[in-house]
């Protein structure tokens, strides 16, 4: 387990707090001669969900790795057999901690796919080799700053912009962007659970701006509230924090709590569960898109593979590395005509650069299975 501190190009503010730099936890799995990488997306503080990076590190070391070890000793036909398909079941005795579990499962999956010579994209069933880029803009100091930032993003080729909103920063920023850019920009907003059902009338004032969606307006466990809100808004409701598994997605859709789903592998326990979320939504005719957690190139590579699946028909929070980091851990992802290429190499298809790792690493811990 390797901790790194990556300074952000600009601080990122949402209703869930402000991040100045990214405290990254990388899992590097070493199995015989094979290496696999996984990035833990847990933020430094438990404001987005209950997970945070110090807790994830602790739970991996103290509980999750020993779970893998017990499977290896008890059930494997050949010593050392731990497969990606078996990781979720092996870790099931530990409740929650999905971001920590996802990091570990991704490292096993990456190692396994590297060994087999298959890309994560092909393993997940990708149908495209590049995906359109979208950008998430934090809460800005002023409306002027926001509009200037949107202008820069459009110039760079981003076709879809998401604005973080909170009470006091919602109608005015949306109006400012629409007034300046008209319908040149596909626009959506994300409340990160900062509103209440009592705000329904206020949020309905967003309807005339023809947003692609409003994401997670209410708190994560309020599915009934989202269903009630959906009857009072014309803007489609998307859920993010509420969708912790394929089962949670099925429930939310059945209750009428959302008509769009944001998929994040870290939030649901890994890419294999993320694929199930995709499948459940596809079967229900609900479009999905890939969310972002300020990932480095390691996590970004996996997200691009996920977003290449068929039902990812809406543009995700998939940006060039330069949007967040002066220097990424991997070779930087760049925009090409508003698109980013899906990595095609074995596994995640990226390799952290040794000199960047060495420079930015703040701690290394070794855990043996
Ligand atoms: Mg969100």
């Amino acid at each position: 387990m390797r901790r790194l501190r990556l300074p952000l190009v600009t601080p990122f503010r949402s209703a869930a707090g402000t991040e100045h730099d990214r405290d990254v936890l990388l899992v590097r799995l070493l199995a015989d001669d094979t290496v696999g990488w996984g990035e833990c997306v847990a933020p430094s503080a438990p404001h987005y969900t209950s997970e945070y990076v110090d807790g994830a590190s602790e739970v991996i070391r103290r509980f999750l790795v020993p779970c893998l070890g017990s499977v290896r000793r008890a059930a494997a036909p050949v010593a050392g057999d731990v497969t990606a398909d078996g990781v979720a079941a092996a870790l099931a005795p530990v409740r929650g901690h999905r971001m920590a579990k996802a990091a570990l499962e991704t490292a096993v999956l990456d190692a396994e796919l590297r060994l087999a010579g298959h890309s994560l994209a092909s393993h997940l069933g990708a149908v495209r080799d590049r995906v359109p880029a979208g950008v998430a803009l934090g809460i800005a100091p002023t409306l002027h700053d926001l509009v200037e930032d949107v202008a820069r993003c459009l110039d760079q080729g981003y076709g879809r912009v998401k604005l973080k909103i909170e009470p006091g920063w919602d109608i005015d920023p949306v109006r400012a962007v629409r007034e300046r850019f008209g319908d040149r920009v596909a626009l959506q907003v994300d409340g990160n659970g900062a509103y209440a059902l009592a705000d329904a009338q206020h949020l309905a004032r967003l309807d005339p701006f023809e947003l692609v969606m409003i994401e997670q307006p209410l708190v994560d466990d309020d599915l009934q509230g989202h269903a009630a809100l959906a009857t009072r808004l014309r803007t489609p409701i998307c859920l993010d924090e509420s969708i912790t598994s394929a089962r949670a997605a099925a429930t939310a859709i059945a209750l009428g709590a959302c008509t769009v789903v944001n998929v994040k592998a870290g939030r649901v326990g890994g890419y294999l569960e993320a694929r199930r979320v995709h499948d459940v939504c596809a079967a229900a005719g609900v479009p999905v898109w890939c969310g972002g957690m300020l990932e480095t190139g390691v996590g970004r590579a996996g997200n691009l593979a996920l977003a290449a699946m068929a039902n990812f028909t809406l543009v995700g929070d998939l940006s060039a590395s330069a949007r967040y980091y002066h220097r990424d851990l991997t070779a930087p992802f760049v925009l090409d005509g508003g698109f980013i290429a899906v990595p095609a190499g074995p596994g995640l298809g990226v390799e952290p650069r040794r000199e960047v790792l060495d420079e930015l690493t703040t701690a290394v811990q070794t855990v043996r299975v």
Side-chain angles (χ1 to χ4, degrees):
M1 296 192 292
R2 190 180 274 264
R3 289 285 283 275
L4 305 103
R5 186 166 290 279
L6 275 79
L8 288 167
V9 171
T10 50
F12 190 81
R13 183 173 160 221
S14 73
T18 303
E19 299 208 55
H20 295 270
D21 43 28
R22 193 73 169 101
D23 184 354
V24 177
L25 169 62
L26 283 186
V27 173
R28 177 173 177 268
L29 176 98
L30 188 60
D32 300 324
D33 295 331
T34 309
V35 170
W37 292 91
E39 175 172 343
C40 182
V41 299
S44 51
H47 298 152
Y48 166 76
T49 65
S50 60
E51 288 195 79
Y52 65 107
V53 67
D54 284 334
S57 175
E58 160 90 353
V59 85
I60 289 173
R61 179 186 64 77
R62 200 167 146 202
F63 298 107
L64 299 183
V65 171
C67 282
L68 286 189
S70 64
V71 164
R72 177 181 168 181
R73 282 186 294 276
V78 179
D81 264 2
V82 174
T83 67
D85 280 337
V87 170
L91 304 183
V94 175
R95 305 288 181 192
H97 295 283
R98 292 179 176 85
M99 294 176 187
K101 290 176 177 177
L104 205 50
E105 184 192 83
T106 303
V108 175
L109 186 57
D110 184 37
E112 204 170 290
L113 292 173
R114 280 172 194 247
L115 205 57
H118 298 147
S119 69
L120 177 61
S122 65
H123 185 72
L124 294 175
V127 297
R128 41 185 90 92
D129 58 11
R130 59 176 199 162
V131 298
V135 67
L137 301 185
I139 293 163
T142 68
L143 289 176
H144 176 77
D145 291 318
L146 174 71
V147 169
E148 291 305 303
D149 204 6
V150 172
R152 274 192 296 275
C153 291
L154 294 178
D155 285 347
Q156 289 162 6
Y158 291 102
R160 178 284 241 166
V161 170
K162 169 171 125 179
L163 307 183
K164 291 289 190 180
I165 59 169
E166 65 181 8
W169 179 269
D170 41 35
I171 313 294
D172 290 344
V174 168
R175 181 187 296 112
V177 172
R178 270 288 183 250
E179 278 179 359
R180 169 82 179 267
F181 305 103
D183 53 14
R184 262 178 69 204
V185 55
L187 193 61
Q188 64 194 63
V189 294
D190 182 0
N192 286 110
Y195 293 88
L197 186 54
D199 298 315
Q201 207 174 350
H202 176 73
L203 291 173
R205 292 174 60 204
L206 292 168
D207 283 345
F209 298 108
E210 303 295 337
L211 301 177
V212 182
M213 71 191 79
I214 178 170
E215 182 183 344
Q216 199 71 47
L218 312 181
V219 72
D220 58 354
D221 63 0
D222 193 5
L223 293 181
Q224 204 169 13
H226 282 101
L229 186 62
T231 66
R232 300 178 58 185
L233 302 185
R234 211 175 69 227
T235 307
I237 293 180
C238 169
L239 290 178
D240 171 356
E241 286 91 327
S242 298
I243 307 298
T244 51
S245 65
R247 187 181 293 118
T251 303
I253 293 166
L255 288 174
C258 64
T259 51
V260 180
V261 166
N262 166 332
V263 186
K264 289 177 180 168
R267 199 191 58 227
V268 302
Y271 286 99
L272 301 180
E273 182 70 7
R275 177 168 62 183
R276 285 189 279 274
V277 175
H278 164 277
D279 294 348
V280 159
C281 293
V286 168
V288 303
W289 56 281
C290 184
M293 295 290 288
L294 309 180
E295 286 90 347
T296 72
V298 175
R300 201 164 296 272
N303 289 351
L304 287 162
L306 183 67
M309 293 179 71
N311 192 39
F312 281 82
T313 53
L314 294 164
V315 182
D317 288 341
L318 294 160
S319 311
S321 299
R323 173 77 203 160
Y324 300 111
Y325 301 112
H326 294 293
R327 203 157 49 127
D328 205 340
L329 293 184
T330 62
F333 286 101
V334 294
L335 288 194
D336 180 5
F339 287 80
I340 306 179
V342 177
L348 291 168
V350 293
E351 197 67 50
R353 295 182 284 190
R354 173 56 57 186
E355 72 278 11
V356 185
L357 280 180
D358 287 346
E359 188 182 322
L360 300 177
T361 295
T362 54
V364 179
Q365 220 178 352
T366 302
V367 192
R368 292 181 194 285
V369 179

